[in-house]
Amino acid sequence: MSTTELYGGAITINKLPSSFIDVSQIRQVPDSQEVFINEIDSTNPTLSSLLTFDQALIFDLLERVDGNDYESAIEQHLQDFAPHGVHNNPLQEVQLGGSNEILYFSYVTFKPEYKRKETNQAEQIIILVCLLRLEKVGTDVLIQYNLPLKHEHSGSIKFAGGDSDIDKCASERFEWFKDLCSSFKVVDWSLFQ
């Protein structure tokens, strides 16, 4: 299977679809991040009717926060990027293949603070979050996938078994995100020195 290289090839993931654009080709990105934006496939009417064009996939290498449990660690990281009062909603823990490391999946939802003026602005944003704690190098890897919705979803998002189009879209995107995060592989540990 082909891969996408991150951080100069020190980390690899499953190959991103060609619709994902490396933001560093457009503007400067901090050394600790890899950022991609996703152009929505206009041939997929379900996705293009639900999501705006602002999808982002962000890989962030962060200093490990205190605490051993994933839920409190992710809450501390959320303070840096989620609006005040937004809390994580645990989804799943997955053992990373061939290691004792855990991928902790969560999500947050919130309404943007701006007033919607255009049809391509989001009414509500879902951020899928994956936390991988690399203990031996004192690093937390936070992976975020931002899904801006054109329409607000009433109630909580169902990532399995939901009947609405938004629930089905969230479930499909979560499965893709989970597979992508599960493919995360450190190839060169000297990146963390």
Side-chain angles (χ1 to χ4, degrees):
M1 173 174 270
S2 60
T3 60
T4 296
E5 293 183 345
L6 305 175
Y7 303 97
I11 294 172
T12 62
I13 55 170
N14 285 347
K15 181 72 176 163
L16 287 174
S18 60
S19 60
F20 282 84
I21 300 166
D22 184 347
V23 171
S24 68
Q25 307 275 331
I26 303 167
R27 66 172 175 81
Q28 191 169 358
V29 173
D31 290 343
S32 64
Q33 290 185 341
E34 292 280 348
V35 181
F36 299 87
I37 53 175
N38 187 23
E39 296 180 334
I40 293 178
D41 180 0
S42 59
T43 63
N44 184 332
T46 302
L47 283 182
S48 60
S49 70
L50 296 174
L51 300 173
T52 71
F53 295 99
D54 302 330
Q55 292 180 63
L57 179 64
I58 304 166
F59 297 84
D60 213 348
L61 303 179
L62 303 167
E63 185 176 328
R64 184 178 163 87
V65 296
D66 292 335
N68 290 325
D69 72 293
Y70 283 78
E71 199 162 331
S72 65
I74 211 163
E75 281 289 341
Q76 290 180 60
H77 288 303
L78 282 176
Q79 293 173 14
D80 292 333
F81 70 88
H84 180 70
V86 172
H87 299 286
N88 86 83
N89 301 287
L91 283 171
Q92 193 172 9
E93 287 186 17
V94 175
Q95 188 90 24
L96 193 57
S99 75
N100 62 350
E101 292 160 333
I102 301 288
L103 296 172
Y104 176 86
F105 292 96
S106 180
Y107 77 98
V108 297
T109 61
F110 60 93
K111 291 172 73 170
E113 294 181 12
Y114 58 75
K115 296 283 187 204
R116 187 172 183 208
K117 296 176 185 166
E118 301 173 21
T119 57
N120 65 344
Q121 289 182 317
E123 281 284 331
Q124 185 176 14
I125 298 173
I126 301 170
I127 302 178
L128 295 173
V129 182
C130 176
L131 176 63
L132 171 60
R133 309 196 83 190
L134 302 175
E135 292 184 38
K136 72 180 183 179
V137 291
T139 301
D140 283 347
V141 179
L142 194 68
I143 308 169
Q144 305 166 52
Y145 184 32
N146 301 338
L147 298 169
L149 300 175
K150 287 183 179 179
H151 310 286
E152 187 176 345
H153 185 281
S154 59
S156 62
I157 307 289
K158 294 178 181 69
F159 287 89
D163 292 330
S164 76
D165 285 344
I166 291 175
D167 290 334
K168 290 174 187 170
C169 176
S171 179
E172 174 194 305
R173 298 286 75 205
F174 174 59
E175 289 303 316
W176 175 84
F177 182 64
K178 189 167 54 171
D179 288 344
L180 179 81
C181 294
S182 297
S183 72
F184 186 94
K185 181 179 180 185
V186 177
V187 178
D188 182 1
W189 287 94
S190 69
L191 171 69
F192 301 97
Q193 296 176 347

